[in-house]
């Protein structure tokens, strides 16, 4: 087979070197992430890898027009409007990695979608993020960042009332039903699982860092090393979710990335830390004297604050996402900003001013990090270009402030309508990605809205 030019920049030499270095690997997960951040693709055998790198892999265009259940969403325009024809997916350079704890041994590679002529298929979330990275590069700016991963470890079986319950310690089977926030001893019971997570991350080239017992029974947080390449930061998050899910399953428990699996406790966020470097590698958010904020970081905050309302569907994309937003829940309820304050949506963390950054806190762990990063970068670009004033800093309890802040939607349906009508979000994601994403969300809303749930019977069966 003649090698075609790879529009992603992947090379056959990378695949050949990997196969030489890993003679034990028998198969590969080839993974494309859709609008919901779900990894879709195939498992190919070892002998197929070189042909994948030589000529890409044909996949139906409809793979990017699926809802959360994998059903076609015709309103995306990606199904029969296109004849559901094949496009070509290509491997992403640097994403070919061995997987940990698999039998037989497997590897993994991310891919991105292009048309048959090599043009970017712009309903692919990776391309949406790359558009914003390229736009900033044209302005002499380069975003760096990292995501935080919060998640629950749950038992595979529910309790007698159908509720999810925290997983027992994998070390000794001890139950845990308390909020063990920041407890070090509590972490010890999950050390065999955590050790496998760290080992898998290391094999994948991810520097996973601090593990924390978070603010709910069975909830944990894993931090990631800061990346100078924000696309790599999003890749890290996507790969780490797959790692946590796989290693949890191997240890007999369930990793849960719902934003709000338990109504009585805090939900799980995906905070995005972002800074901006110039062509010389200087952090342009750094102030001359500590606490005397630069116009650059203030305008960036202003853009994020001004665009948050119309962008909330990206940060809270599912029905369950909206259960996370409640006062005193460590999830922001209005577009406020502050310093060293976890009750605001946009936080300037304390620390060395050379590492000055914005912590963007609205996104749940169920959001797509490529779309989150694209939207955040677009908001920062808008704020800096238009010199948007962020308004006064919120001090103290941010849940009691923010009355003068721009409004944000109060529920999922309002967020869908705001996103559909947003010229900003259309520019942030690109027209095709915007259409695809909002159509998928509208279809998912309709699915949920027509479903009769147990709560309907609990509230109304014997009362109305």
């Amino acid at each position: 087979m003649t090698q075609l030019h790879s529009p992603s920049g992947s090379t056959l030499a990378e695949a050949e070197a990997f196969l030489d270095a890993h003679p034990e690997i028998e198969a590969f997960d080839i993974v494309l992430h859709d609008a919901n951040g779900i990894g879709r693709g195939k498992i190919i055998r070892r002998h197929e890898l070189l042909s994948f790198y030589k000529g890409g892999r044909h996949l139906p265009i409809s793979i990017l027009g699926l809802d959360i259940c994998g059903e076609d969403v015709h309103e995306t325009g990606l199904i029969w409007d296109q004849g559901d024809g094949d496009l070509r997916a290509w491997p992403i350079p640097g994403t070919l990695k061995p997987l940990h704890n698999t039998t037989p041994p497997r590897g993994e590679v991310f891919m991105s979608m292009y048309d048959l002529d090599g043009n970017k298929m712009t309903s692919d979330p990776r391309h949406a993020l790359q558009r914003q990275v390229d736009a900033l590069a044209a302005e002499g700016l380069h975003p760096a960042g990292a995501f935080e991963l919060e998640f629950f470890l749950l038992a595979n079986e529910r309790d007698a009332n159908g509720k999810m319950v925290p997983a027992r310690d994998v070390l000794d089977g001890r139950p845990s039903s308390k909020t063990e926030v920041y407890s070090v001893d509590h972490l010890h019971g999950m050390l065999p699982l955590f050790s496998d997570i760290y080992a898998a991350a290391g094999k994948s080239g991810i520097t996973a860092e601090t593990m924390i017992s978070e603010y709910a029974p069975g909830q944990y947080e894993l931090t990631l090393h800061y990346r100078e390449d924000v696309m790599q930061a999003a890749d890290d998050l996507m790969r780490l979710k797959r790692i946590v899910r796989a290693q949890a399953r191997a240890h007999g428990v369930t990793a849960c990335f719902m934003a709000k699996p338990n109504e009585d406790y805090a939900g799980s966020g995906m905070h995005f830390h972002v800074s901006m470097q110039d062509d010389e590698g200087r952090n342009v958010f750094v102030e001359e004297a500590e606490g005397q904020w630069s116009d650059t970081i203030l305008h960036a905050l202003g853009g994020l604050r001004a665009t948050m309302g119309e962008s909330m569907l990206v940060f809270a994309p599912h029905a369950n996402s909206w259960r996370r937003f409640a006062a005193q829940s460590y999830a922001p309820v209005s577009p406020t900003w502050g310093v060293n304050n976890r009750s605001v949506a946009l936080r300037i963390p304390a620390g060395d001013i050379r590492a000055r950054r914005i912590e963007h806190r609205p996104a749940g762990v169920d959001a797509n990090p490529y779309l989150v990063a694209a939207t955040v970068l677009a908001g920062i670009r808008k704020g800096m270009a238009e010199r948007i004033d962020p308004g006064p800093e919120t001090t103290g309890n941010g849940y009691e402030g923010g009355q003068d802040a721009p409004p944000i939607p109060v529920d999922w349906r309002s967020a869908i309508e705001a996103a559909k009508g947003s010229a900003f979000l259309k520019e942030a994601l690109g027209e095709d990605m915007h259409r695809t994403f909002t159509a998928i969300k509208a279809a998912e809303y309709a699915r949920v809205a027509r479903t009769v749930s147990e709560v309907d019977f609990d509230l109304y069966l014997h009362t109305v």
Side-chain angles (χ1 to χ4, degrees), residues 272-303:
F272 178 37
H273 294 253
V274 59
S275 60
M276 202 71 63
Q277 297 178 345
D278 63 18
D279 287 336
E280 284 71 44
R282 293 186 295 260
N283 182 355
V284 299
F285 285 169
V286 173
E287 65 269 26
E288 290 186 10
E290 186 165 3
Q292 297 178 12
W293 311 116
S294 69
D295 286 346
T296 306
I297 198 169
L298 290 175
H299 293 148
L301 290 165

Side-chain angles (χ1 to χ4, degrees), residues 131-149:
R131 283 181 70 252
Q132 293 301 326
V133 171
D134 291 345
L136 282 163
E139 299 166 7
L141 295 171
H142 309 279
F147 290 90
E148 297 175 7
L149 181 68

Side-chain angles (χ1 to χ4, degrees), residues 58-61 82-88 113-116:
H58 284 131
L59 290 174
I61 190 173
Q82 306 279 344
D84 197 17
D86 279 348
L87 298 183
R88 186 176 277 123
M113 192 76 93
Y114 297 80
D115 68 23
L116 299 182

Side-chain angles (χ1 to χ4, degrees), residues 75-230:
E75 292 80 4
T76 61
L78 301 179
I79 316 300
W80 298 122
D81 290 3
Q82 306 279 344
D84 197 17
D86 279 348
L87 298 183
R88 186 176 277 123
W90 288 89
I92 303 301
T95 66
L96 180 58
K97 305 291 182 181
L99 292 174
H100 175 69
N101 199 21
T102 56
T103 305
R106 296 199 326 278
E108 175 185 69
V109 61
F110 289 175
M111 53 185 175
S112 200
M113 192 76 93
Y114 297 80
D115 68 23
L116 299 182
D117 293 328
N119 300 309
K120 293 178 179 178
M121 198 286 174
T122 47
S123 287
D124 182 327
R126 285 185 65 94
H127 295 322
L129 175 53
Q130 192 63 51
R131 283 181 70 252
Q132 293 301 326
V133 171
D134 291 345
L136 282 163
E139 299 166 7
L141 295 171
H142 309 279
F147 290 90
E148 297 175 7
L149 181 68
E150 294 180 355
F151 59 96
F152 282 80
L153 294 175
L154 303 175
N156 293 337
E157 299 79 26
R158 304 187 190 192
D159 67 14
N161 297 315
K163 299 284 189 180
M164 302 300 297
V165 295
R168 291 175 174 267
D169 289 353
V170 298
L171 187 63
D172 55 18
R174 268 196 328 172
S176 176
S177 58
K178 297 182 292 185
T179 301
E180 302 275 8
V181 63
Y182 279 84
S183 168
V184 176
D185 289 343
H186 175 66
L187 294 174
H188 292 170
M190 290 293 182
L191 279 181
L193 169 54
F194 296 155
S195 294
D196 273 331
I197 290 172
Y198 282 117
K203 273 191 174 182
S204 295
I206 296 172
T207 306
E209 297 184 330
T210 307
M211 182 71 74
I212 302 167
S213 180
E214 262 289 355
Y215 207 70
Q219 188 185 33
Y220 302 88
E221 179 187 291
L222 187 57
T223 61
L224 288 160
H225 189 68
Y226 215 71
R227 293 286 198 182
E228 291 190 358
D229 178 352
V230 78

